[in-house]
Amino acid sequence: MNGWGFMAHAVMSFSVYLLSFTPLLQYYGACFMMFEVSTLFLNIHLTIEALDLKDYILYYINGMALVSSFFFARVVYGTILSINVWKELASSAVPISPIATSIVRLTNIVLMGLSYYWFSVIIMTAKRNALDADLIRALDEMDQKDIKAE
């Protein structure tokens, strides 16, 4: 999760965070910070991988927490918040500049697109790891059968 997508995430999140000091967006700035709840589990996940401790149960429990927190915080809650922000921007009695409105909308499209993309990458990685584990188990079983046959 690095490269241009990560840079776009950082720059756009920062710009919207600065705009959240306007009266209309104060509430949503705090709400969108809830996206970062999954970052805690991502950092733990990366640390466990760096220490080569993938065989421990903590790695699997943390992986489930990462997937579920990412899904519920960014995909579900983020989509609901995005719909609410777009409605609020369209019907607000509080004046907000058209430039700020455009920045918020563009940023929302990009960041939600990144969230959906990253979630698909997380799911593909989890599937690959599960398949790798099944393959390793199958090879171990074949080795055990070979040993018993000798």
Side-chain angles (χ1 to χ4, degrees):
M1 288 192 192
N2 52 22
W4 289 106
F6 191 72
M7 182 58 120
H9 173 267
V11 169
M12 293 186 143
S13 294
F14 182 68
S15 66
V16 170
Y17 183 72
L18 290 178
L19 288 173
S20 74
F21 292 108
T22 62
L24 175 66
L25 299 174
Q26 284 178 347
Y27 169 75
Y28 291 108
C31 291
F32 276 105
M33 289 303 289
M34 286 299 297
F35 272 40
E36 299 307 320
V37 74
S38 62
T39 304
L40 170 69
F41 301 109
L42 177 62
N43 289 337
I44 292 170
H45 186 80
L46 295 174
T47 301
I48 291 171
E49 282 185 348
L51 296 173
D52 198 28
L53 300 173
K54 291 183 185 180
D55 295 333
Y56 291 90
I57 190 71
L58 176 63
Y59 181 74
Y60 298 102
I61 293 170
N62 182 70
M64 289 185 283
L66 171 60
V67 171
S68 60
S69 66
F70 195 98
F71 177 73
F72 287 112
R74 292 191 185 225
V75 176
V76 175
Y77 184 63
T79 301
I80 292 167
L81 277 180
S82 295
I83 292 167
N84 291 341
V85 166
W86 281 69
K87 286 179 182 177
E88 191 87 27
L89 288 173
S91 66
S92 177
V94 178
I96 185 168
S97 76
I99 293 172
T101 300
S102 298
I103 290 171
V104 169
R105 286 182 173 157
L106 174 65
T107 300
N108 183 259
I109 290 168
V110 171
L111 292 178
M112 288 307 297
L114 283 171
S115 289
Y116 298 140
Y117 169 72
W118 285 336
F119 185 69
S120 71
V121 169
I122 289 170
I123 295 300
M124 286 187 293
T125 302
K127 282 182 181 179
R128 186 183 66 234
N129 289 343
L131 292 174
D132 288 348
D134 288 342
L135 179 62
I136 290 169
R137 255 185 257 125
L139 290 173
D140 284 345
E141 289 174 8
M142 288 174 53
D143 286 343
Q144 292 299 324
K145 288 179 183 176
D146 288 343
I147 290 171
K148 288 179 183 177
E150 294 176 1

